[in-house]
Amino acid sequence: MSAESTPNLMEAVVSLAKRRGFVFQSSEIYGGLNGFFDYGPLGVELKKNIRDCWWNDMVRRRDDIVGIETSIIMHPKVWQASGHVDGFTDPLVDCKVSKQRYRADQLFFAAVTVDGEVKGYVSALESEDTVGALQAAAESFKRKKAIQGTLAPVVAVEFTEATEAQIPLIPSPATGEPGSLTPPRAFNMMFETHVGPLRDSASVAYLRPETAQGMFVDFKNVVDTGRVKLPFGIAQTGKSFRNEITPRNFVFRSREFEQMEMEFFIHEDDDWAKWHRHWIDWCKDWLLSIGLPASHLSEYDHLKEKLAFYSKGTTDIMFKFPFGVQELWGIAARGNYDLGQHEKASGVPQAIFDETTKKKFIPHVIEPAVGLDRIFLAVLCGAYAEEQVTDEKGKAETRTVLRLSPRIAPVKVAVLPLLKNKEALTERAKELYKKLQRRYAVFYDEAGAIGRRYRRQDEIGTPWCVTIDFDTIEKDGTFTLRERDSMEQRRVTEAELLALLDEQVY
Amino acid sequence: MSAESTPNLMEAVVSLAKRRGFVFQSSEIYGGLNGFFDYGPLGVELKKNIRDCWWNDMVRRRDDIVGIETSIIMHPKVWQASGHVDGFTDPLVDCKVSKQRYRADQLFFAAVTVDGEVKGYVSALESEDTVGALQAAAESFKRKKAIQGTLAPVVAVEFTEATEAQIPLIPSPATGEPGSLTPPRAFNMMFETHVGPLRDSASVAYLRPETAQGMFVDFKNVVDTGRVKLPFGIAQTGKSFRNEITPRNFVFRSREFEQMEMEFFIHEDDDWAKWHRHWIDWCKDWLLSIGLPASHLSEYDHLKEKLAFYSKGTTDIMFKFPFGVQELWGIAARGNYDLGQHEKASGVPQAIFDETTKKKFIPHVIEPAVGLDRIFLAVLCGAYAEEQVTDEKGKAETRTVLRLSPRIAPVKVAVLPLLKNKEALTERAKELYKKLQRRYAVFYDEAGAIGRRYRRQDEIGTPWCVTIDFDTIEKDGTFTLRERDSMEQRRVTEAELLALLDEQVY
C-alpha cells in the first residue's frame, strides 16, 4: 500500500506527527491557539534539516547568492512602501448571530432555481466538492419547503460577488438561516503592535507578513559591503506572521510560519523569462533532491489578467496534498517594483551603475518564495506509507514507514546492539554510536526485539539501522546494515558505513 | 596591540561590523528603528555557526537533551501563569518637557550637600562612571549658583528610591531642570498584539519575552511522545521580544533578539546544587570551545535576598565587554515553580511518576539561558585585534584581524590562485574551491596582490588561506597554507588540508 492509497492520509500523517513528537498544537494545555503550532523533538530536527539543505544549496554552495537575516519588526514605512498597509487584506464576512467569521472568497452560495424561478439561496464553505455540497443543500431546501417542480443544477458563486440584494437572503453556514451575514469588508492580515512605551499611531509597528521586504530594504547595504555583481541573489529564512481569518489544513496555512525566500537581481535588459524558467527548474530539482515524489509536483502559471500591474509573470510549483493540489513554491518575476517603491518612499537611491552602458538603473528581480512549514507537510505526506509485510515469525503485519530522504531524515542511523544484556555488544555499539554522533544525528536503542526496533525507526524515517551482533565482535568487525525502504540487510565495515553517510547525507 | 589595548574597541567593532556586512541597523533607509538590527552576509553566517554549534553540542551530541521549537505567539494564559503579565515590568520615568523616557533603575541622582546642608539635586544616566558624572554635576551646580562652602562627596541613589518630596527637585537629564520628571511607573515589556479579526481583550496576545515557557508548556507532550527519563533537558533557540525602554550597546540589549535556552529537569530529591554547578561549568567550557578568551569570563552569584521566592540560586557568567562587565549567560535553579504554575493555571497535571518511590512529583529545573546576539557581540569583541606588522616590502602597517575560532568563522578557507591571469592556477584553485564547498563555507578570491587578499580574510576572521602557485601545478600538488593568527605559511597536501578541516571545524 503506497502513500497514495492510504485512506485518510491526512489523518494518518497528523496522528503520526502528534504520536511521535513531530508537531504539537501550540499551548495545548491551555486548549491551543488556533493557527499556531510547535515542533517537537523529531519535528524540529526534520525542519532544521530542510532549512539547512535549502541554506547550503541556495547560499553556501553558490557564488552568486548571499544570505541575510533581517528583523521581524521593521520600520512601519517599509509596509507602506510595499503596499501591505493598504493592500494586504482578505475579504471578511461576519455572521452577526453566531459571531463566526469567514473569508468571503472561501464562502460560496447558489440560487435554488425551480422551474426557472429563484426560490431562495443556499451556502457552503469551500471544500473538495463545493458544488456537490451546494446541490445537496438546494435539494434539502426544496424538500423542506415542499416546493414542487424541477430543480436546476446549482451554480456556485463566491460570496465576494454577492449583490447587495442577495446578501440578506444567503444563509449563514453557522446557523443555516439567512439575514445574519454582513457584506465583505477588507481585513488587513498584518499583526499590529506598538514599539516603545507610548501606544499611539506614531508607535504602530507590524510583524512582517513576509521576509522578502528585508532583502529589498537591505539591498544597498549588501551592494555596498559585499563584493556582489549582477546577476546575484539575497536570501533569508525566518518567521513571518499573517492574521489569517481561517487558518486550516494543519501547518499548511497557519498564522505564524517560516519562510525561505530569495530575491535574484538581474540587469534591466536581461532576459527575465529565461531567469524565471531557470529558477522554476531549480526549485523543482531541489524539491526532488530532498525526496518529494515527482508524481506529486506540477506547475501553475498565474493568469496574466490576474497579475499585479508590475508583475511579469508568476508560476507556482504545486503539490498534491491529501486535501487537494495546493501552492507550494511561488516563483514571481516582479520587475523593479519593490526597489522602486522603496527608493520613492525613503528617498535613498536604489539604482546601481552599469560599467558598460555608463547608465544607472534599478535591477529587476525574480523571487522564489516558499514556506518551510508547507515543505515540511509535503515531505510528511509524500513520505508516509503503510505496507503489508511479514514479520520474523511469518505473521502478516502493517508497517508504517516514512520514506524520508537521508538528506533530511531527523535520525540518520540507529545503532542497535543485538542483545541488551551482552556487554561486549552494547560496548561496541556505544562506541560506534559516539563516533557517528560527532557528525550525524544518530540514535542508540537497545530495548526490545530487533524487529520492533526496526519498526520504530521506520516510523520516524531513519534510513539505516546498524546491528552489532556476535560476528561483529568475534569475527570480522562488520555489522548488519539494514535499509529502511527495501528492508534489505547486508554486512558492511565501518569504513563502508562512513562512506555511505558521507555520500548520502549532505 | 591586542584587543584589550585597542582604544575605542566598541567603536572599532561596530565599524567593522557595518563595513564588512556583519550587522546593519534595521530599516536603515527609513532612518532605522531603535533596538532592531539586521545581520548581513557575514553576520548571518557567524550567527548561524554559533547557533549550530550550540545545537550540536547541546542537543545532537547528547543523549539526555531533546530540542523543540515553539511558537512566538502563545496562548495569553501562558504569560499569566508564568507571572509575566503582572510582573514583567521595568520602572519607567517620563520627562514631561522633553518627552524622553528613562528606566528609573538606570537613572541616578545625588544631593548637592555643602557644609552639611542639601542645596539641591543633580542627576545622571548610568555609565561607566556614574559617581564621577554626579560629582562633576554637583560641582557645576555649586559654581553656577555661586554657593560658598565645602561640597561633600556625592552619594549616587537610584531614581527608584527617590522620595515623593525629592522627585520634583531632581533635574531631568534631558533639560537639566527639575520639575519635569514623573514618579516611576511599572511598564510591561511584552509586545502586545491581537489574534483574529476582533480587537478586544479576548483577542490580546503577546510576543514571547523568552523561549523558556515553551519548554514548560510542552513538557508533558515531550514526556508522552519521547523516550526521555530524568534527568533530561529540553532545548530551543528562537526569537524573543522585549519592549525595552532604553535599548543600547549595539546588539547587547535590543528589542528583538534570539535566545538559546535549555530546561534541565531533575528529580525533586536530586542534588540541585550539583547540577547547577555542572551547567555553569558546561556553559563556560562551551564558551571557551567557540573561542571566547578565558580572561574575559567571570562568575557572579545573585544575592540570595534578591532572588525570587522560588529560586534556589542564580549564577551569571559575565563577559568583559568594552562597555563594562555584563551578564552573558544566566544559569538559574528555579525549583519546580514554572511547571507548578502551569499545572495550577491549566488544570493539566505536570507531575511524573517515580518507579522507585511509587510517588508522583513535579520535576525541578536548572535553566541555562543565553542570548545569541550577546554571544555574537562577545565573540566579535573578544576576537578583534589591531596589530603592527610588516608587509612584503618591509613596510610597517596595521592589520585588523578577527581571531575567530574555526568552529564559528563565517568563512573557513579562502582559496587563492597566486595569479589571476594564469588559467592553470585559477582552474586548479576553482577545482579545490568547488570540492571544499560541498562541506564548508569557502571563499574564492583572485583579485589583487596576495598580501592584500590575506588582509581581507584576516579582517573577517578566515582561519586559513590556501594559495595555489606554480609548485602546486608543476611539482608535487601541495599548496601554501597560511594561518591567520601566526601568519605562518607551510606546504600541505589536499589530504592534509581536509584532515585539518575535519578536526577543527565541527
Side-chain angles (χ1 to χ4, degrees), chain B residues 281-491:
Chain B
D281 292 340
W282 189 95
C283 296
K284 276 174 93 169
D285 287 345
W286 188 83
L287 290 172
L288 298 177
S289 87
I290 61 159
L292 285 198
S295 58
H296 285 47
L297 299 176
S298 56
E299 282 181 32
Y300 173 77
D301 296 324
H302 286 227
L303 296 175
K304 285 264 177 284
E305 56 271 28
K306 290 219 169 180
L307 294 175
F309 72 91
Y310 53 81
S311 175
K312 292 170 183 288
T314 295
T315 299
D316 290 340
I317 299 175
M318 312 291 284
F319 184 81
K320 195 165 73 180
F321 287 97
F323 45 85
V325 173
Q326 296 279 349
E327 181 199 335
L328 187 59
W329 207 325
I331 297 97
R334 299 179 59 86
N336 63 4
Y337 178 75
D338 303 274
L339 286 180
Q341 285 294 103
H342 288 301
E343 172 169 303
K344 260 187 256 169
S346 70
V348 179
Q350 300 295 311
I352 61 179
F353 184 72
D354 183 350
E355 292 291 347
T356 320
T357 62
K358 307 288 174 202
K359 245 178 61 185
K360 282 195 162 194
F361 67 94
I362 297 180
H364 287 226
V365 78
I366 311 287
E367 172 188 284
V370 70
L372 175 50
D373 312 79
R374 281 190 185 187
I375 293 190
F376 180 97
L377 183 58
V379 159
L380 284 188
C381 293
Y384 186 94
E386 291 173 14
E387 291 178 340
Q388 295 304 324
V389 293
T390 316
D391 74 5
E392 296 113 89
K393 293 169 187 154
K395 230 181 76 186
E397 64 168 358
T398 303
R399 85 163 179 149
T400 299
V401 57
L402 274 187
R403 296 206 188 97
L404 298 176
S405 155
R407 295 195 78 191
I408 58 171
V411 177
K412 309 303 181 192
V413 181
V415 180
L416 321 171
L418 185 63
L419 298 170
K420 183 183 180 172
N421 51 5
K422 294 286 174 199
E423 212 184 307
L425 295 178
T426 55
E427 233 173 51
R428 175 68 185 105
K430 279 178 187 163
E431 186 200 331
L432 178 66
Y433 167 67
K434 281 289 160 198
K435 184 166 185 179
L436 294 174
Q437 206 174 32
R438 186 163 189 257
R439 290 272 164 217
Y440 303 105
V442 286
F443 192 79
Y444 176 84
D445 189 2
E446 54 179 35
I450 199 80
R452 281 196 49 208
R453 280 185 267 168
Y454 286 155
R455 290 289 175 277
R456 282 201 291 262
Q457 296 302 318
D458 289 343
E459 204 181 48
I460 63 169
T462 307
W464 300 288
C465 290
V466 158
T467 305
I468 310 298
D469 55 23
F470 291 103
D471 278 6
T472 314
I473 51 171
E474 287 165 8
K475 280 168 69 182
D476 52 5
T478 62
F479 25 72
T480 303
L481 181 78
R482 188 262 193 183
E483 206 273 322
R484 179 195 62 209
D485 297 344
S486 65
M487 292 185 283
E488 279 172 12
Q489 305 187 7
R490 60 188 164 106
R491 304 293 299 186

Side-chain angles (χ1 to χ4, degrees), chain B residues 127-144:
Chain B
S127 69
E128 281 289 85
D129 184 19
T130 313
V131 173
L134 289 169
Q135 188 68 44
E139 278 156 19
S140 163
F141 180 96
K142 175 171 175 280
R143 199 165 53 244
K144 279 191 191 149

Side-chain angles (χ1 to χ4, degrees), chain A residues 62-110:
Chain A
R62 298 182 64 106
D63 310 329
D64 56 351
I65 298 183
V66 297
I68 61 171
E69 194 180 295
T70 63
S71 58
I72 289 172
I73 296 179
M74 300 171 77
H75 199 292
K77 282 186 183 162
V78 171
W79 306 110
Q80 281 157 21
S82 69
H84 285 82
V85 169
D86 290 334
F88 194 62
T89 58
D90 265 348
L92 170 69
V93 178
D94 287 280
C95 168
K96 287 176 290 187
V97 171
S98 69
K99 307 293 174 200
Q100 291 291 306
R101 294 188 154 75
Y102 306 100
R103 263 177 62 176
D105 55 348
Q106 291 173 355
L107 176 57
F108 286 80
F109 71 98

Side-chain angles (χ1 to χ4, degrees), chain A residues 22-24 37-41 43-44 47 251 373 376, chain B residues 67-70:
Chain A
F22 283 90
V23 179
F24 307 130
F37 293 92
D38 293 348
Y39 287 81
V44 71
K47 197 178 173 195
V251 297
D373 312 78
F376 181 97
Chain B
I68 61 170
E69 194 180 296
T70 63

Side-chain angles (χ1 to χ4, degrees), chain A residues 174-194:
Chain A
T175 64
E177 297 299 323
S180 66
L181 293 179
T182 64
R185 63 182 166 92
F187 171 71
N188 195 302
M189 286 194 290
M190 287 198 293
F191 284 100
E192 221 178 276
T193 190
H194 293 269

